[in-house]
Amino acid sequence: MNRIFGTSKPKVPKPTLDDAISSTDARAGAVEVKIRKLDGELARYRDQMKKMRDGPGKNSIKQRALRVLQQKKMYEAQRDQLMQQSFNMESAVFATENVKNTLSTMQAMQDASKTMKKQYKNVDIDKIYDMQDEMAELLEQANEVQELMGRSYNLPEDVDEQDLEAELDALGDDLDFTEDVPSYLNNAEEPMPELLPEAPDGTTQLPDRPEHVQAEPALRM
């Protein structure tokens, strides 16, 4: 069957901008190499002309240098053209990527908007307001209960704080803060009595025995 009808050729993928940019940059690089080679030749011819006297030989080398310089100018024009093409294609790629990102962002925002609309259909604003009012009332009641639980009893409510401070200053030194202090702390300056006598040293002599006291008989063994 293949011999009769033949076979279809495989489709070659179309070149992309990235492929075209890579190919253009490679061509520009090859042209740059040629320009550097011509620069080397020009430098060699220039050195030769500096060492030669005016005459037919020097004129011949000068003509060669002019041809090389003309080729260099041509290659430089090609290089600049290729670089401009590459820049234009890179700008196109950048613009294309910006368009893709913009479309992706728009699609994401549209999806998010649809999701939010579906979710807000289940939200009742009036219920939220009612819930907030109810919470405010409950908090107010809780504060009132706390004030009631913390109420003071048997204390005058019309006492002014300034009057209390004036009365406290008027007391002055009339307050005796030593009533509750133990007596032994009040007499702390008096010396404490000696509880034990001083131990006798080796030089202390015992008092003489009275004459009416007889010596005890010695114990018999």
Side-chain angles (χ1 to χ4, degrees):
M1 297 295 293
N2 293 335
R3 294 178 180 178
I4 298 175
F5 298 101
T7 57
S8 60
K9 296 181 179 179
K11 294 182 179 181
V12 179
K14 295 181 180 180
T16 61
L17 281 177
D18 293 334
D19 296 336
I21 292 172
S22 299
S23 176
T24 304
D25 290 341
R27 291 170 59 191
V31 174
E32 183 68 26
V33 172
K34 293 181 180 180
I35 292 173
R36 293 178 181 177
K37 183 178 179 181
L38 294 177
D39 286 336
E41 292 183 8
L42 287 174
R44 186 173 64 254
Y45 290 150
R46 186 175 60 251
D47 293 338
Q48 289 179 0
M49 287 188 296
K50 288 180 180 180
K51 299 176 182 180
M52 296 177 65
R53 296 178 180 179
D54 294 337
K58 186 176 182 179
N59 292 333
S60 177
I61 294 176
K62 185 177 181 180
Q63 293 298 323
R64 295 178 184 176
L66 290 176
R67 287 195 298 269
V68 171
L69 182 59
Q70 187 177 3
Q71 292 178 1
K72 177 185 176 183
K73 294 294 183 181
M74 181 185 64
Y75 283 130
E76 286 178 348
Q78 292 180 1
R79 180 198 60 188
D80 294 340
Q81 185 178 5
L82 291 172
M83 292 178 65
Q84 186 62 41
Q85 292 177 4
S86 178
F87 176 77
N88 293 337
M89 287 186 290
E90 288 178 353
S91 299
V93 171
F94 183 74
T96 304
E97 293 296 330
N98 283 339
V99 172
K100 289 181 180 179
N101 292 334
T102 302
L103 294 175
S104 300
T105 303
M106 291 179 59
Q107 185 63 40
M109 293 178 66
Q110 290 178 359
D111 296 340
S113 178
K114 292 179 182 179
T115 303
M116 292 177 65
K117 287 180 180 179
K118 290 181 181 179
Q119 292 177 351
Y120 272 111
K121 287 181 180 179
N122 300 325
V123 177
D124 191 350
I125 301 298
D126 295 332
K127 289 183 179 180
I128 295 177
Y129 280 115
D130 294 339
M131 181 181 65
Q132 292 291 336
D133 294 338
E134 185 178 357
M135 289 294 296
E137 293 178 358
L138 291 174
L139 291 175
E140 185 177 359
Q141 293 178 5
N143 292 331
E144 186 177 358
V145 170
Q146 293 295 327
E147 291 179 359
L148 290 175
M149 295 299 295
R151 178 180 295 178
S152 301
Y153 297 97
N154 296 328
L155 290 177
E157 297 180 356
D158 56 348
V159 178
D160 191 0
E161 185 177 355
Q162 294 181 357
D163 295 339
L164 291 176
E165 291 180 358
E167 185 176 354
L168 180 62
D169 294 337
L171 292 177
D173 298 333
D174 295 339
L175 298 177
D176 187 5
F177 295 99
T178 61
E179 293 181 356
D180 297 334
V181 180
S183 58
Y184 65 87
L185 292 179
N186 291 331
N187 299 327
E189 297 180 357
E190 298 180 0
M192 296 295 291
E194 297 182 0
L195 300 180
L196 296 176
E198 297 181 357
D201 54 6
T203 60
T204 304
Q205 296 181 358
L206 296 176
D208 297 334
R209 183 183 302 169
E211 295 179 356
H212 62 277
V213 179
Q214 298 180 359
E216 294 181 359
L219 296 177
R220 298 179 180 178
M221 300 298 293

